[in-house]
Amino acid sequence: GLECLQTQVDAGGRPCGAELLLRWLHPVRGSVSPAQFIPLAESTGLILELGHWVLAQGCRMLVTLAQAGHDLPLSINISPRQLREADFVEQVRRVLAETGAPADRLVFEVTEGHLVENVETMLARMRELSALGIRFSIDDFGTGYSSLAYLNRMPLYELKIDRSFVQGLPDDLHARGIVETVLSIARNFSLHVVAEGVETQAQADYLRHSGCPSLQGYLYARPVPLPDWLAQQG
């Protein structure tokens, strides 16, 4: 396994956060993307071990970043199976205590489609974690069918615009409609927004012009291991 950081930038192109992404280096296949191994981990239950490992790595990274003078929020992906674990909040408390990581710099990304199962349990768990200072982001927003009523009840900080919509910018009317809608929802709910998968200047210009506060994608940075990321920041 290889943990990498991908920078998120603000409207001025300055780093304002990062996401922890996994790359699996296979001896034969080379780099295997999470899109291939995460579903497998989900179906076998391995996701709980993997998720715990990612949480611990993320917390250690936050400490290293702070020591290097980078006081940035770090997003990590949390599986719905983790959120449903009875002792998940306790696990998070323990890792925070062991590493000394600042909880208010941790952003948990959860996938929209999975939030509608066991809503009450999920909400209660999210509120407990939120009380520790952890912030929540809905990943791939606009691809699922979450109800706006849930948004109102969740302790949310951020929505992420899925790369499939960003790809269509600026010409695809459908993509533009969804992006505008997500930005409008975010403004109404006072939520931060990150557009991911930004690869061209035209996409970036359109998003900035539409008032999207944060951008993430190859146009700005590829995911790189922490030592390389620190070296790039100078």
Side-chain angles (χ1 to χ4, degrees):
L2 183 65
E3 332 65 276
C4 295
L5 287 185
Q6 187 175 30
T7 307
Q8 297 169 342
V9 302
D10 64 16
R14 292 174 296 269
C16 61
E19 181 181 356
L20 171 56
L21 294 164
L22 290 183
R23 291 291 176 268
W24 184 31
L25 287 173
H26 188 277
V28 181
R29 292 192 204 144
S31 183
V32 183
S33 104
Q36 290 171 286
F37 64 79
I38 295 291
L40 186 67
E42 286 273 5
S43 63
T44 57
L46 259 177
I47 196 73
L48 295 175
E49 282 175 56
L50 184 63
H52 189 74
W53 181 79
V54 168
L55 174 65
Q57 292 299 99
C59 285
R60 286 191 202 106
M61 276 187 181
L62 270 176
V63 173
T64 307
L65 287 169
Q67 285 167 347
H70 301 288
D71 192 18
L72 294 172
L74 180 66
S75 297
I76 69 172
N77 291 276
I78 294 294
S79 141
R81 284 187 70 160
Q82 284 174 280
L83 258 187
R84 283 199 286 270
E85 284 283 279
D87 67 340
F88 182 58
V89 177
E90 195 40 55
Q91 282 179 36
V92 173
R93 270 204 192 95
R94 203 176 314 131
V95 172
L96 288 170
E98 284 167 7
T99 57
D104 61 356
R105 283 281 169 266
L106 205 50
V107 178
F108 280 179
E109 282 192 21
V110 286
T111 305
E112 173 183 23
H114 293 118
L115 289 173
V116 291
E117 309 155 22
N118 310 35
V119 174
E120 297 308 322
T121 310
M122 290 286 200
L123 286 174
R125 199 100 353 127
M126 286 171 87
R127 286 190 196 111
E128 280 183 78
L129 290 161
S130 185
L132 298 178
I134 290 166
R135 290 178 288 178
F136 280 92
S137 171
I138 294 190
D139 199 9
D140 306 344
F141 188 72
T143 59
Y145 300 96
S146 72
S147 147
L148 291 181
Y150 294 140
L151 282 189
N152 217 3
R153 299 177 61 202
M154 284 175 190
L156 283 185
Y157 158 66
E158 173 184 276
L159 302 177
K160 288 194 91 172
I161 301 175
D162 189 56
R163 63 184 60 248
S164 59
F165 306 125
V166 171
Q167 262 170 2
L169 298 177
D171 303 321
D172 181 331
L173 283 176
H174 175 68
R176 279 165 57 166
I178 288 181
V179 168
E180 296 292 345
T181 302
V182 174
L183 289 168
S184 161
I185 290 169
R187 279 192 288 273
N188 286 314
F189 284 90
S190 305
L191 298 173
H192 187 251
V193 181
V194 179
E196 54 187 356
V198 181
E199 294 183 5
T200 70
Q201 195 57 53
Q203 291 166 352
D205 292 344
Y206 181 86
L207 287 159
R208 281 219 183 86
H209 185 71
S210 302
C212 185
S214 275
L215 311 174
Q216 177 180 349
Y218 285 176
L219 180 64
Y220 303 102
R222 290 182 174 268
V224 292
L226 182 62
D228 301 358
W229 190 91
L230 289 168
Q232 284 173 9
Q233 307 310 309

